[in-house]
Amino acid sequence: MGEYYITDSIPATILGMLRSPEETFRLLRTKEVEDAVPVLLVSLAVFAFGSTFFLGLIASSAGASDYPSLSGLADLGTLIFVAFEMMIFGVILAAITGVLLHFVAYYEGFDEDISQSLKVAGYSAAPYAVGGVIPFFGIIIAPLWCVYLQYTGMRETCYMEPDQAVVTVLVPAAVFAVLFIIMTMLGGDNFSIFGGA
């Protein structure tokens, strides 16, 4: 893969992250954090709208009396609202991930600018683009793939040793895993950012 192929367009950057993350992160090292935002937004948009499309298909075929929680997703307006809510939530999580990556890296002795960690978090959302195209893939595999991309990004962008990159990436992953477990225990209504669809 040539340098032009990997870094000069959003789809090419997403493909580069999926096919050759080490090389892609090396080539993107000099890019600004603002360059990662379109990749993040496109990946999250594909995931959000793809996932809600498949949820809408399931909801429209499910009986309202049998599955009352799915019946609200049969409405197109609700699906669009949920998709935008998923995108906003994803952007917030990516920003928090970038900040956590920066603080853990700083604790480990790396004094890179926070923009490097935010950039790694933004580009690491690329697997969600695939997750939105393949039903139910995103909810299971994409987050794990993102953690791998964060590991690779911290190694290549901040020149970390592998063991340091593992610690740096596992701290935010553990924080989000605990928060997910807490939210799941509290109930499904707590997943809505805006108080329910």
Side-chain angles (χ1 to χ4, degrees), residues 19 45 66 76 102 133 146 168 171:
R19 293 178 61 199
D66 295 332
L76 180 63
H102 173 71
V133 176
C146 287
T168 302
V171 169

Side-chain angles (χ1 to χ4, degrees), residues 155-175:
R155 265 192 13 238
E156 297 297 331
T157 305
C158 297
Y159 305 104
M160 288 185 162
E161 294 295 321
D163 56 339
Q164 294 169 321
V166 166
V167 171
T168 302
V169 169
L170 287 182
V171 169
V175 167

Side-chain angles (χ1 to χ4, degrees), residues 33 91-107 110 112-122 150 154 168-169 171-173 175-176:
V33 69
V91 169
I92 292 169
L93 286 181
I96 293 171
T97 299
V99 170
L100 289 173
L101 288 172
H102 173 71
F103 283 127
V104 176
Y106 184 78
Y107 179 76
F110 290 88
E112 294 284 334
D113 185 21
I114 193 168
S115 66
Q116 296 295 335
S117 300
L118 290 171
K119 187 168 53 173
V120 167
Q150 291 168 9
M154 293 306 285
T168 302
V169 169
V171 169
V175 167
F176 290 129

Side-chain angles (χ1 to χ4, degrees), residues 30-54:
T30 59
K31 298 270 187 177
E32 298 296 323
V33 69
E34 295 85 15
D35 298 325
V37 173
V39 173
L40 171 68
L41 292 177
V42 168
S43 299
L44 291 175
V46 171
F47 175 73
F49 285 101
S51 297
T52 55
F53 172 76
F54 290 115

Side-chain angles (χ1 to χ4, degrees), residues 180-193:
F180 179 77
I181 291 168
I182 290 170
M183 294 297 283
T184 304
M185 289 172 38
L186 291 175
D189 292 341
N190 294 306
F191 282 110
S192 179
I193 296 172

